[in-house]
Amino acid sequence: QQQVKQSPQSLIVQKGGISIINCAYENTAFDYFPWYQQFPGKGPALLIAIRPDVSEKKEGRFTISFNKSAKQFSLHIMDSQPGDSATYFCAAVNYGGATNKLIFGTGTLLAVQP
Amino acid sequence: DAGITQSPRHKVTETGTPVTLRCHQTENHRYMYWYRQDPGHGLRLIHYSYGVKDTDKGEVSDGYSVSRSKTEDFLLTLESATSSQTSVYFCAISVTGEVHEQFFGPGTRLTVL
């Protein structure tokens, strides 16, 4: 119930292409879905977040698409650049639940080739 | 970087020895978290704190204890380190009080031989 499943584990994209990372969840009580970006040797950093009452949120080249009925959400990186090469984590939190903690996916290592 | 520092940044220790990792913040935020990061597991919450002397367990708390005697410091202790505790440990704070908005420290790489 508390898991967030993330795929793929790794992804190679050519410069200028679209990177797509998918996550799925079971707990319908989750009510916030952030994405974190982590560069080698650094801590994760919040990239973008979405609430389940919104189907899409865009910030620059980064877009979250949310499908509540399918219990899935995805991160799209448009015009991918070598500087986007990093590990990406999806996450979920249930603010009304007993845990009230961030549950992370297992991460996707993105490599954007020049 | 939200004023978070972690010390030490790297540590090698032997099985059975006690280890304490320190997380220090400069801005008096209430919520602080300890995570461990392992390949294939992502980030898993060990313990968290919602104020001085107020702490609670996360999903992988066995073998770990924490203390928070001052707002700015959150200590993670491995009472008797084991090789399974070899990991990268991250401290995080919630600046806004919103759980989904966390700022992470630079991490501590711990190796238990």
Side-chain angles (χ1 to χ4, degrees):
Chain A
Q1 279 291 316
Q2 289 296 324
Q3 278 189 320
V4 177
K5 296 182 179 180
Q6 185 171 347
S7 63
Q9 189 173 8
S10 62
L11 180 62
I12 299 174
V13 174
Q14 296 298 313
K15 178 182 177 182
I18 302 174
S19 303
I20 302 174
I21 304 170
N22 301 298
C23 286
Y25 63 97
E26 288 297 322
N27 187 353
T28 56
F30 284 141
D31 50 15
Y32 231 109
F33 300 87
W35 284 87
Y36 281 77
Q37 179 188 55
Q38 183 181 30
F39 292 107
K42 304 292 186 181
L46 179 64
L47 183 63
I48 187 173
I50 196 169
R51 296 173 58 102
D53 55 352
V54 176
S55 61
E56 185 176 281
K57 183 174 182 180
K58 184 176 181 180
E59 290 186 3
R61 295 183 294 107
F62 298 90
T63 300
I64 301 178
S65 297
F66 191 86
N67 186 331
K68 189 172 183 178
S69 61
K71 293 186 284 186
Q72 296 175 347
F73 59 109
S74 59
L75 177 69
H76 295 238
I77 307 174
M78 311 300 288
D79 187 26
S80 299
Q81 299 296 313
D84 297 329
S85 297
T87 300
Y88 292 82
F89 294 96
C90 61
V93 61
N94 171 16
Y95 277 104
T99 56
N100 200 20
K101 303 163 193 170
L102 261 182
I103 307 297
F104 283 90
T106 52
T108 296
L109 179 61
L110 171 65
V112 181
Q113 294 185 336
Chain B
D1 63 355
I4 308 172
T5 57
Q6 291 184 233
S7 59
R9 294 293 314 280
H10 302 271
K11 187 172 181 64
V12 179
T13 191
E14 293 189 350
T15 298
T17 60
V19 176
T20 295
L21 308 182
R22 180 186 184 227
C23 177
H24 178 80
Q25 57 146 327
T26 60
E27 300 179 3
N28 293 321
H29 295 294
R30 181 180 175 189
Y31 295 94
M32 299 184 75
Y33 309 84
W34 275 109
Y35 293 89
R36 60 178 290 176
Q37 182 175 15
D38 305 287
H41 291 277
L43 291 145
R44 293 180 292 175
L45 182 66
I46 305 171
H47 281 280
Y48 67 104
S49 169
Y50 41 92
V52 173
K53 297 185 180 179
D54 288 327
T55 63
D56 205 349
K57 296 178 179 180
E59 62 179 307
V60 290
S61 59
D62 288 348
Y64 301 95
S65 62
V66 290
S67 66
R68 193 169 178 199
S69 59
K70 298 184 292 184
T71 301
E72 58 266 36
D73 288 325
F74 192 29
L75 304 180
L76 177 70
T77 297
L78 291 65
E79 301 289 349
S80 178
T82 67
S83 59
S84 65
Q85 293 176 311
T86 292
S87 185
V88 180
Y89 291 85
F90 286 100
C91 173
I93 63 173
S94 175
V95 171
T96 62
E98 299 286 344
V99 176
H100 72 277
E101 296 180 351
Q102 294 186 16
F103 289 85
F104 285 77
T108 293
R109 181 172 294 276
L110 175 67
T111 302
V112 183
L113 301 175

